[in-house]
């Protein structure tokens, strides 16, 4: 079983490792998208050193859809990650995968094609091209995920906590809007902006802009705390915690709770109700918890 968590800094990375996280997920501009904070190569180096000193792992995000400029820069970046002994990268751009293969680096990759990863056959294709696992599309149901994993030898990563990105544009949509309206406003993540559905005045879709464009997230944070035992029984044992919208110590506390729940699942003492109640106590008041598409019937969403 592999509990994976995003890390925004070396300090938070150390706290997450102490909390029981198995694999840290980090990255930086322009190769990694939707991270809590883009990190430079020296900070990634420090985090790898921290993790390996505790017998843990680090995966580096290279999940951007890359243009010619980024592909030209990628080889040097991957070579540096290999030198630092990063344990894996996530990548979904076939051009980036080709670059990795041509360099013949000792750097395993996890296929992360975002919303494209919806079938066992697609994952099997990339496994034949030396992928060591895959990140499933967040719009899949548990029924579909279980079927996919049953047909694959390598693991599928499932988001068990955090927001879902529902739209990403490479354009600075917020800045363009502000210029059109003659306004001067911040558009970064810490500004705390959100969109609202006119038909649902209670809805809040977080939106922010960074060097990679504009990102819009779901109104709820996903939680599969109640389903952890079921996931394990169906060999879905790569569990991702995403702290892109939750910074600092609050995210560490939630990661620690999931690490404790993982240990309970492994020991056969897991009681979901108690862990779900404790998670609700830790969850930010402005973000509801939900299960997204996971518990739906596939026929309802196709």
């Amino acid at each position: 079983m592999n509990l994976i968590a995003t890390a925004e800094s070396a300090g938070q990375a150390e706290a997450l490792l102490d909390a029981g996280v198995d694999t840290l997920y980090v990255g930086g501009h322009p190769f990694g998208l939707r991270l809590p904070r883009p990190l430079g190569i020296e900070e990634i180096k420090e985090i790898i050193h921290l993790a390996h000193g505790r017998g843990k792992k680090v995966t580096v995000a290279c999940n951007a859809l890359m243009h010619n400029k980024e592909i030209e820069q990628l080889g040097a970046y991957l070579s540096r990650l290999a030198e630092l002994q990063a344990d894996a990268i996530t990548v979904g751009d076939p051009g980036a995968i080709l670059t990795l293969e041509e360099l013949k680096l000792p750097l395993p990759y996890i296929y992360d094609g975002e919303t494209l990863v919806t079938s066992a056959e697609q994952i099997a294709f990339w496994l034949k091209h030396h992928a060591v696992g895959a990140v499933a599309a967040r719009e899949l149901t548990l029924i579909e995920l279980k079927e996919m994993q049953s047909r694959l030898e390598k693991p599928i990563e499932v988001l068990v906590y955090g927001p879902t990105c529902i739209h990403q544009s490479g354009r600075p949509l917020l800045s363009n809007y502000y210029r059109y309206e003659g306004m001067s406003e911040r558009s970064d993540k810490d500004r705390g902006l959100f969109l609202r559905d006119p038909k649902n005045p209670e809805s809040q879709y977080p939106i922010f802009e960074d060097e990679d464009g504009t990102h819009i997230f779901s109104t709820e944070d996903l939680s599969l705390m109640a389903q952890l035992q079921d996931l394990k029984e169906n060999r879905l044992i790569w569990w991702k915690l995403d702290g892109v919208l939750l910074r600092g110590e609050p995210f560490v506390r939630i990661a620690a709770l999931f690490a404790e729940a993982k240990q309970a699942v492994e020991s056969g003492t897991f009681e979901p109700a108690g862990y779900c109640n404790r998670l609700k106590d830790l969850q930010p008041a402005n973000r509801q918890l939900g299960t997204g598409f996971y518990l739906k019937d596939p026929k309802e969403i196709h």
Side-chain angles (χ1 to χ4, degrees), residues 17 24 40 77 84 125 161 205 247:
L17 293 169
L24 298 170
Y77 187 69
L84 298 178
F125 174 87
Y161 176 81
Y205 296 89
R247 308 290 294 273

Side-chain angles (χ1 to χ4, degrees), residues 121-170:
E121 286 74 15
Q122 184 185 164
I123 295 174
F125 174 87
W126 290 108
L127 293 180
K128 288 181 181 179
H129 287 77
H130 313 299
V132 297
V135 179
R138 306 312 188 193
E139 295 79 10
L140 294 175
T141 67
L142 279 180
I143 292 173
E144 293 169 299
L145 288 167
K146 291 174 185 178
E147 181 182 357
M148 287 167 62
Q149 186 64 82
S150 71
R151 296 161 63 180
L152 297 166
E153 294 300 318
K154 299 292 186 179
I156 299 172
E157 179 192 287
V158 179
L159 183 68
V160 298
Y161 176 81
T164 301
C165 182
I166 61 174
H167 178 77
Q168 192 270 332
S169 172

Side-chain angles (χ1 to χ4, degrees), residues 74 94 141 151 182 186 202 224 246:
L74 182 63
T141 67
R151 296 161 63 180
R186 287 168 49 199
E202 300 300 319
L224 291 187
L246 184 60

Side-chain angles (χ1 to χ4, degrees), residues 19-274:
V21 167
D22 301 302
T23 300
L24 298 170
Y25 186 75
V26 298
H29 176 79
F31 307 113
L33 288 180
R34 291 179 297 279
L35 300 159
R37 188 171 71 84
L39 304 180
I41 196 70
E42 289 305 312
E43 194 160 15
I44 292 174
K45 175 182 178 181
E46 183 179 357
I47 289 171
I48 291 173
H49 178 74
L50 285 169
H52 289 179
R54 290 165 168 77
K56 304 296 182 70
K57 296 182 178 182
V58 176
T59 296
V60 180
C62 294
N63 60 334
L65 183 61
M66 300 181 200
H67 295 261
N68 290 334
K69 180 180 178 181
E70 287 77 34
I71 290 291
E72 290 169 2
Q73 298 171 340
L74 182 63
Y77 187 69
L78 294 178
S79 296
R80 184 67 175 129
L81 292 178
E83 289 175 8
L84 298 178
Q85 298 183 322
D87 296 283
I89 63 170
T90 57
V91 61
D93 188 312
I97 295 171
L98 179 61
T99 299
L100 178 64
E101 291 184 346
E102 288 176 342
L103 291 172
K104 295 181 170 55
L105 297 171
L107 191 60
Y109 80 90
I110 299 160
Y111 181 65
D112 183 5
E114 301 293 337
T115 56
L116 298 176
V117 191
T118 56
S119 71
E121 286 74 15
Q122 184 185 164
I123 295 174
F125 174 87
W126 290 108
L127 293 180
K128 288 181 181 179
H129 287 77
H130 313 299
V132 297
V135 179
R138 306 312 188 193
E139 295 79 10
L140 294 175
T141 67
L142 279 180
I143 292 173
E144 293 169 299
L145 288 167
K146 291 174 185 178
E147 181 182 357
M148 287 167 62
Q149 186 64 82
S150 71
R151 296 161 63 180
L152 297 166
E153 294 300 318
K154 299 292 186 179
I156 299 172
E157 179 192 287
V158 179
L159 183 68
V160 298
Y161 176 81
T164 301
C165 182
I166 61 174
H167 178 77
Q168 192 270 332
S169 172
R171 295 186 174 93
L173 301 181
L174 287 167
S175 295
N176 290 344
Y177 171 75
Y178 289 144
R179 279 194 293 271
Y180 179 79
E181 292 291 336
M183 302 167 63
S184 178
E185 292 282 349
R186 287 168 49 199
S187 57
D188 59 282
K189 189 188 307 181
D190 293 337
R191 176 68 172 80
L193 297 171
F194 59 85
L195 300 175
R196 178 167 288 159
D197 182 348
K199 298 179 181 179
N200 181 7
E202 300 300 319
S203 62
Q204 293 188 10
Y205 296 89
I207 180 172
F208 67 85
E209 189 178 289
D210 60 17
E211 293 175 293
D212 301 306
T214 307
H215 314 271
I216 304 173
F217 290 85
S218 55
T219 59
E220 298 179 329
D221 283 331
L222 287 171
S223 171
L224 291 187
M225 180 67 84
Q227 287 74 40
L228 295 184
Q229 184 71 48
D230 188 26
L231 293 176
K232 178 180 181 293
E233 291 172 357
N234 286 277
R235 295 176 45 239
L236 292 163
I237 55 173
W238 275 15
W239 300 346
K240 174 75 172 292
L241 310 174
D242 195 331
V244 64
L245 297 180
L246 184 60
R247 308 290 294 273
E249 182 60 28
F251 181 65
V252 175
R253 289 195 291 267
I254 286 175
L257 181 63
F258 271 90
E260 183 184 331
K262 171 177 166 275
Q263 290 181 337
V265 170
E266 290 174 326
S267 65
T269 60
F270 181 65
E271 295 291 341

